Amino acid sequence: MSDERKLQVLRAIVQDYVSTSEPVGSKALLERHQLGVSAATVRNDMAALEDEGLIAAPHTSAGRIPTDAGYRLYVDKLSQIKPLSKAERKAIEQFLVRSVDLDDVLSRTVRLLSSLTGQAAVVQYPSLNTATVRHVELVPRAADRLTLVVILSTGQVEQRVIELGRSLTEQEIDELINDLRAGLNDRTAGLRRSPASHALLRWADELSEPTQEAGSVVATAVAGVLAEEREDRVLLGGTANLVRSSGDFALSLGPLLDALEEHMVLLRLLSHEVGEAATDGVAVRIGTENAIRGLTGTSVVTTAYDADSLASLGVLGPTRMDYPSTMAAVRAVARYVADIIDN
């Protein structure tokens, strides 16, 4: 018995079941696919696939459906992900390029992924704790205050008001900003938040007149902003798609929806295990491969879009999923998000 032919039969079963949601029989396979073999051969191949735990009979009908192991073999045999069409890529680019800041980029990403795949979408913010400083700017606000603007490598913009402790003339403020701007950027650009904070504290102690007093206040304030620890954030969207697919889940949706309410569960969904198998950078966890309680009846398709912080995005849905299309959409969206953030 040919392993390649059995794999061909498995592919056909997966494709038909995903398309129709009905158990697939040998007669339907012969009618819909050019398998080039007899009905008896197809039945023998299906029996062998069932013995190997790759397909199963959901009830007493002649039809079979893929098991988690069957989906896994099917996904593993995808040597590469078929790219989206030019029109699809253009639509993704046009939707994301209208974003005005990082929050808008990721909000649009969740909506886009959910719409493209018909699944629930999850996007992780780039970790601000691992981000590097791209630029520091000071803007006059009042006689005794400045606005601090810190731009990070993730595209995130931090703004704070710095109290100088005393009033300065407009000329003094302009001179202070001119004296400090280069020093702030020379000591922080390209560094992660914590090292940049320490560098500024050392610099604050080294400042001399005439900028020593006000300069020390500013440098210390910037160091404090950079030293702030930030919790990783995630966005979830499209959970209504899970409700519309409720018939694909063996158990109640309650445990699944409860699990998705937990912040740490969402972060774990997007985490990539060392050595985890991936196709073109896209990882797929199917059914019982998801160890999180409530998610064992789902499949999760994820990929990283920010190399520095390993921030990821992905989708979650039933195991009866169009894996090639979903993987292609996840990969394409991740690439556009990465380009937007890098620029």
Side-chain angles (χ1 to χ4, degrees):
M1 185 179 295
S2 167
D3 287 341
E4 182 55 37
R5 193 183 65 239
K6 282 196 301 179
L7 182 58
Q8 186 181 9
V9 171
L10 176 63
R11 286 196 192 102
I13 292 172
V14 170
Q15 291 166 2
D16 282 4
Y17 183 59
V18 168
S19 174
T20 68
S21 76
E22 296 293 334
V24 183
S26 58
K27 181 179 179 181
L29 287 178
L30 290 167
E31 291 173 351
R32 296 171 186 160
H33 302 272
Q34 300 297 319
L35 297 177
V37 294
S38 67
T41 299
V42 171
R43 286 194 294 271
N44 288 338
D45 286 343
M46 292 180 68
L49 290 171
E50 189 168 10
D51 289 342
E52 294 172 20
L54 300 175
I55 60 174
H59 42 72
T60 55
S61 74
R64 299 293 185 271
I65 65 174
T67 63
D68 287 356
Y71 283 125
R72 167 48 61 196
L73 180 60
Y74 170 76
V75 169
D76 287 346
K77 292 300 181 179
L78 295 174
S79 59
Q80 60 183 13
I81 302 172
K82 181 181 178 181
L84 298 183
S85 69
K86 185 176 180 180
E88 290 171 323
R89 296 197 304 271
K90 187 67 174 177
I92 292 172
E93 181 181 12
Q94 290 178 339
F95 183 72
L96 291 178
V97 80
R98 300 190 192 114
S99 306
V100 297
D101 56 23
L102 180 64
D103 290 328
D104 194 23
V105 169
L106 299 188
S107 176
R108 286 172 177 267
T109 298
V110 165
R111 302 201 312 270
L112 180 63
L113 270 177
S114 176
S115 174
L116 286 173
T117 64
Q119 316 292 355
V122 188
V123 179
Q124 179 183 11
Y125 270 74
S127 174
L128 296 184
N129 296 323
T130 59
T132 58
V133 178
R134 183 175 293 170
H135 185 72
V136 177
E137 189 57 75
L138 298 172
V139 181
R141 183 182 178 96
D144 60 346
R145 282 168 295 190
L146 300 174
T147 296
L148 165 68
V149 181
V150 179
I151 303 174
L152 302 173
S153 59
T154 57
Q156 185 77 12
V157 178
E158 298 265 353
Q159 295 190 42
R160 297 288 191 281
V161 174
I162 297 177
E163 300 285 348
L164 297 175
R166 65 183 180 90
S167 295
L168 301 177
T169 66
E170 185 175 337
Q171 181 179 348
E172 287 175 328
I173 288 181
D174 288 342
E175 290 176 352
L176 176 66
I177 291 175
N178 289 333
D179 289 342
L180 295 178
R181 183 184 286 118
L184 288 170
N185 283 286
D186 287 346
R187 286 160 179 79
T188 61
L191 295 181
R192 290 191 176 186
R193 295 169 64 103
S194 181
S197 174
H198 290 303
L200 287 183
L201 290 176
R202 290 193 298 271
W203 183 54
D205 294 334
E206 299 167 0
L207 288 171
S208 57
E209 295 297 345
T211 58
Q212 195 279 330
E213 183 179 353
S216 180
V217 170
V218 173
T220 301
V222 179
V225 170
L226 293 174
E228 293 175 1
E229 291 290 330
R230 299 305 180 88
E231 182 181 31
D232 287 333
R233 295 170 58 194
V234 288
L235 294 177
L236 173 67
T239 52
N241 289 329
L242 298 178
V243 177
R244 284 192 283 270
S245 301
S246 59
D248 285 311
F249 296 98
L251 303 175
S252 165
L253 275 179
L256 169 58
L257 297 177
D258 287 343
L260 294 181
E261 290 292 325
E262 298 292 331
H263 179 84
M264 291 308 299
V265 166
L266 296 180
L267 287 175
R268 287 178 62 191
L269 278 180
L270 294 171
S271 67
H272 292 81
E273 302 294 336
V274 175
E276 185 171 28
T279 301
D280 285 357
V282 178
V284 181
R285 293 197 294 275
I286 300 170
T288 52
E289 294 172 358
N290 292 297
I292 302 171
R293 183 178 177 274
L295 303 188
T296 54
T298 67
S299 285
V300 182
V301 180
T302 60
T303 191
Y305 69 86
D306 181 71
D308 292 333
S309 66
L310 297 182
S312 300
L313 55 78
V315 298
L316 174 145
T319 54
R320 190 181 71 85
M321 178 186 292
D322 183 347
Y323 290 98
S325 295
T326 300
M327 294 165 72
V330 167
R331 182 185 63 174
V333 170
R335 288 179 175 177
Y336 280 109
V337 172
D339 288 343
I340 290 172
I341 290 177
D342 288 342
N343 295 329

